[in-house]
Amino acid sequence: MTLIQWFIFFLAVQIIHGLGTWKLYEKAGRHRWAAFIPVYNSIVLMKIINRPTWWTVLLFIPIINLIMFPVVWIETLRSFGRKSTADTWLGIFTFGLYLYYINYTQEVTYIADRSLVATTKTGDTISSLLFAVVVATLVHTYVMQPYTIPTSSLEKSLLIGDFLFVSKFHYGARTPMTTVAAPMVHDTLPVIKTKSYLSWPQLPYFRFPGFQKIEKNDIVVFNWPADTVYKFFDTSGRSILKPVDKKSNYVKRCQGTPGDSLQIKNGTVFINGKELILPERAKTQYSYYVTYDMNTPMDFEYLLKQVGSTDGAGFKSETRDTLYLRALTAEGAKTLRTVPGIKSVTQIINKDPESNIFTHNPKWNGDNFGPIYIPEAGKTVALNLQTLPFYKRIISVYEKNTLKVVGNDIYVNDKKVTSYTFKQNYYWMMGDNRHNSEDSRYWGYVPEDHIVGKPVFIWMSWDSNGEGLGNKIRWERLFTTVSGDGQPQSYFKYFLGLLILYFVGDYFWKKKKANKS
């Protein structure tokens, strides 16, 4: 929906509210016109139902308002003496239209000093749960979101089974574009495994100011731009068009920022002609061929653990004298070369074109790619048949223009053009596990409106291949930061110390109070 359409919808809601409640406003000692004035009607209604004025804000926050509307309907009914179970359910299942029936056909009396304390344990429990859901949804949407690492594309920096907290405020919290959705879940409802949202209506994109910009080498969580899968890891072949904020969450390392020229030469990333130096914690991995003396006994399983190869291995041919390692760091390769019996360790550099590479350039592949320009908001590029493959998806999908080609001419919104000016920033995201990562090399730029947040903290790490509970938990990764200088340091022992101090202090405080009384 456009801003004008949302404005019309907003006014329509105010009229619907006013027509259904103006008599109730009068019975509460308010002017009837107060029921029709946008925002002001909500402030007055909060006073009528004896709830704090700041509740008004919650009525205009997407997703949160889906919880608050039924609460306000019920509170309004109870403020006029309609507090039976039947009244409650009628208020909810008619989406508040039951108030019309009360407003026009029932003689009700306003209860000015109504008690707000729940009269039953069930009511008290429901109130507490609703409050908890509202607070948790606010935190999840605008402050911090939990996230689990599902793949090995950032292996060594982030491992499969790492449980992260992703900051929404570093890059600026994005307001939900999908207005009707279940709180605190992504695209699928747990247990019943069905879609958790309605695709319509959609709010325009808006992001609050952040205190940090995305920098090169930042690890970033974003919505996968090319996502059409029914759900993450679904292999049924089903496809679905998703709203931006309901596309699958991906995590990669930013390698190119708006305005950069990016090129990959033999697996190494160059930005504006200079090699991009990765931080100390980043461990780029490539595939390798390893030849060895077949007469020398080899414990391959032990050897792979020693060099930190986690993506598995296989033999190149039937002769079994050449081992293929899917992922190995430069340090691991160096260690492997010192092992007795190892003849050679050679990094695999792809020289053949890949058909699924971004822009489908017949000379490019995942190891040799570009140069390519990373679009910047407000910047203009020449648009012709040669440059169109780079920006086609940006123009038609991300920035929602109509695009067509007639002969050698390009039309944007039915106007012939020879240039295009970008409306938002774009980023280039790649995995450190270069030969086992589906990233920008294959589906292109990541628009700014797809950015979710910045991973900041690993609170849990679970190794599904470990044996026994103690071995499944990666204790050294608990309570470690994702970014920063030097190697990661666990703060788990400090957390345990503070927790013990809290319980000890709480015990003595309560004991002291008991002695005084």
Side-chain angles (χ1 to χ4, degrees):
M1 292 173 67
T2 64
L3 283 173
I4 293 175
Q5 290 171 327
W6 270 109
F7 181 69
I8 294 171
F9 176 76
F10 174 73
L11 291 181
V13 170
Q14 307 308 309
I15 293 171
I16 292 170
H17 171 78
L19 290 174
T21 58
W22 64 271
K23 283 190 174 183
L24 299 180
Y25 275 66
E26 281 191 331
K27 290 178 178 179
R30 306 287 176 169
H31 296 290
R32 65 174 63 180
W33 54 260
F36 293 90
I37 306 301
V39 183
Y40 179 68
N41 55 9
S42 299
I43 294 173
V44 172
L45 185 59
M46 293 306 111
K47 295 182 182 299
I48 291 173
I49 65 176
N50 291 325
R51 292 298 182 179
T53 305
W54 60 263
W55 270 32
T56 304
V57 177
L58 301 180
L59 295 176
F60 295 94
I61 300 177
I63 309 301
I64 297 294
N65 56 13
L66 298 180
I67 304 169
M68 293 303 300
F69 286 153
V71 171
V72 171
W73 298 333
I74 295 168
E75 292 288 296
T76 303
L77 289 168
R78 291 178 177 175
S79 293
F80 291 89
R82 306 309 290 256
K83 56 184 179 180
S84 70
T85 302
D87 288 319
T88 298
W89 288 119
L90 282 169
I92 293 173
F93 286 120
T94 63
F95 298 101
L97 295 178
Y98 181 55
L99 288 168
Y100 271 74
Y101 171 76
I102 302 297
N103 190 61
Y104 289 106
T105 69
Q106 302 297 298
E107 284 298 326
V108 292
T109 302
Y110 174 59
I111 306 171
D113 55 351
R114 177 176 66 94
S115 173
L116 301 180
V117 179
T119 56
T120 65
K121 187 174 182 180
T122 301
D124 183 62
T125 301
I126 292 173
S127 298
S128 298
L129 284 174
L130 284 174
F131 178 76
V133 170
V134 168
V135 172
T137 303
L138 281 170
V139 172
H140 184 276
T141 305
Y142 297 101
V143 183
M144 201 76 68
Q145 175 184 337
Y147 181 80
T148 307
I149 297 298
T151 70
S152 63
S153 67
L154 283 170
E155 186 71 28
K156 299 295 182 286
S157 294
L158 295 176
L159 308 181
I160 294 176
D162 278 350
F163 291 81
L164 312 175
F165 282 132
V166 176
S167 165
K168 299 292 186 71
F169 55 84
H170 275 76
Y171 303 138
R174 179 184 62 181
T175 58
M177 289 169 264
T178 302
T179 57
V180 182
M184 294 184 296
V185 297
H186 191 53
D187 60 345
T188 305
L189 288 171
V191 184
I192 59 177
K193 304 296 182 184
T194 58
K195 196 169 74 168
S196 65
Y197 60 92
L198 297 181
S199 298
W200 188 91
Q202 289 282 303
L203 278 172
Y205 164 71
F206 175 78
R207 186 182 296 276
F208 289 101
F211 65 86
Q212 226 180 58
K213 289 185 177 180
I214 297 176
E215 303 288 349
K216 282 177 275 291
N217 290 324
D218 278 359
I219 295 177
V220 181
V221 173
F222 56 93
N223 297 115
W224 179 25
D227 182 22
T228 57
V229 297
Y230 185 74
K231 60 182 177 180
F232 205 54
F233 288 139
D234 181 72
T235 58
S236 66
R238 293 177 295 178
S239 63
I240 185 172
L241 293 177
K242 300 178 182 179
V244 169
D245 56 341
K246 293 301 177 182
K247 292 181 178 181
S248 298
N249 288 328
Y250 263 34
V251 58
K252 305 289 179 186
R253 190 182 299 277
C254 179
Q255 300 287 264
T257 52
D260 285 337
S261 174
L262 178 142
Q263 186 172 14
I264 305 174
K265 300 178 184 178
N266 294 329
T268 301
V269 174
F270 289 80
I271 298 295
N272 303 322
K274 297 181 179 180
E275 180 180 347
L276 179 63
I277 305 301
L278 295 174
E280 182 181 353
R281 293 191 186 188
K283 304 295 181 183
T284 311
Q285 297 178 92
Y286 301 93
S287 299
Y288 283 82
Y289 284 135
V290 179
T291 61
Y292 65 97
D293 184 357
M294 297 183 66
N295 295 319
T296 302
M298 292 280 180
D299 184 344
F300 291 117
E301 185 175 348
Y302 173 78
L303 195 60
L304 293 179
K305 286 183 178 180
Q306 287 297 104
V307 297
S309 181
T310 54
D311 276 19
F315 290 102
K316 181 183 177 182
S317 63
E318 293 181 359
T319 59
R320 301 176 71 83
D321 63 345
T322 302
L323 197 64
Y324 167 67
L325 300 187
R326 293 186 64 194
L328 190 65
T329 62
E331 292 82 357
K334 183 178 179 180
T335 300
L336 200 56
R337 292 187 181 100
T338 65
V339 175
I342 298 296
K343 294 180 178 180
S344 65
V345 180
T346 307
Q347 180 182 329
I348 299 174
I349 302 295
N350 192 0
K351 301 293 185 181
D352 300 323
E354 295 182 44
S355 59
N356 61 337
I357 206 76
F358 178 57
T359 74
H360 304 289
N361 189 303
K363 296 181 181 179
W364 293 359
N365 58 47
D367 286 335
N368 289 280
F369 184 100
I372 190 170
Y373 172 70
I374 314 297
E376 183 178 1
K379 293 298 177 69
T380 301
V381 293
L383 200 60
N384 50 53
L385 296 183
Q386 287 69 47
T387 61
L388 184 60
F390 294 94
Y391 312 121
K392 181 178 180 179
R393 187 171 176 84
I394 287 178
I395 296 170
S396 61
V397 179
Y398 304 145
E399 303 196 351
K400 297 178 175 58
N401 300 287
T402 59
L403 174 68
K404 62 180 179 180
V405 178
V406 180
N408 292 326
D409 296 327
I410 299 172
Y411 291 82
V412 176
N413 299 328
D414 297 321
K415 181 181 178 181
K416 184 179 175 180
V417 298
T418 57
S419 64
Y420 183 78
T421 302
F422 302 106
K423 298 177 183 176
Q424 63 176 317
N425 289 321
Y426 293 82
Y427 301 87
W428 194 262
M429 305 291 185
M430 290 171 59
D432 295 345
N433 197 347
R434 293 295 162 77
H435 290 160
N436 189 19
S437 174
E438 186 177 352
D439 51 38
S440 285
R441 292 171 294 176
Y442 301 96
W443 34 255
Y445 311 105
V446 175
E448 187 169 40
D449 64 6
H450 284 55
I451 300 299
V452 174
K454 179 176 183 175
V456 293
F457 196 66
I458 300 171
W459 63 272
M460 178 64 176
S461 187
W462 184 264
D463 183 1
S464 58
N465 295 319
E467 297 180 0
L469 178 62
N471 291 326
K472 284 184 177 291
I473 298 175
R474 302 184 183 106
W475 297 98
E476 74 283 358
R477 296 185 66 80
L478 267 58
F479 287 69
T480 59
T481 55
V482 173
S483 304
D485 298 326
Q487 294 304 310
Q489 178 185 355
S490 173
Y491 293 91
F492 184 58
K493 59 184 179 181
Y494 302 108
F495 168 76
L496 287 180
L498 290 173
L499 202 63
I500 292 169
L501 286 174
Y502 169 78
F503 283 116
V504 170
D506 184 62
Y507 169 78
F508 283 109
W509 173 256
K510 288 180 179 178
K511 189 175 181 180
K512 185 177 180 181
K513 286 182 67 177
N515 290 336
K516 284 184 177 180
S517 61

